[in-house]
Amino acid sequence: MQVSVRDNNVDQALRALKKKLQREGVFREMRLKEHFEKPSEKKARTKAEAIRRQRKLARKKAEREG
């Protein structure tokens, strides 16, 4: 991953880098790998995340349709 620094503006480049890392999911992955997660816990977490995504999608769809 590369971020170019223009006009010696390191702050702007740092913000761009953080945004790219956030978009790629690097921060989330680092947080998950801080400790060992049992396979049963991982399965439960992924299932809960999927349910959350579906509910959020349904909520947004209901708002659009009225």
Side-chain angles (χ1 to χ4, degrees):
M1 187 173 299
Q2 285 185 334
V3 177
S4 59
V5 179
R6 298 184 196 130
D7 302 326
N8 289 328
N9 195 346
V10 179
D11 293 331
Q12 185 179 5
L14 190 61
R15 267 187 276 134
L17 176 66
K18 285 183 180 180
K19 190 180 282 188
K20 281 187 178 183
L21 291 173
Q22 182 73 30
R23 210 176 300 132
E24 291 291 322
V26 174
F27 292 126
R28 183 173 185 279
E29 189 176 327
M30 284 183 351
R31 187 175 45 99
L32 287 173
K33 291 186 184 259
E34 283 178 356
H35 56 84
F36 179 74
E37 187 176 25
K38 288 173 36 180
S40 60
E41 292 173 347
K42 184 176 182 178
K43 185 178 177 183
R45 179 182 51 79
T46 54
K47 191 174 182 180
E49 287 174 354
I51 291 170
R52 227 177 287 127
R53 274 195 309 272
Q54 289 298 318
R55 285 184 181 161
K56 184 177 180 180
L57 188 74
R59 208 170 40 243
K60 285 189 172 189
K61 187 176 181 181
E63 282 181 11
R64 272 187 269 134
E65 290 177 357

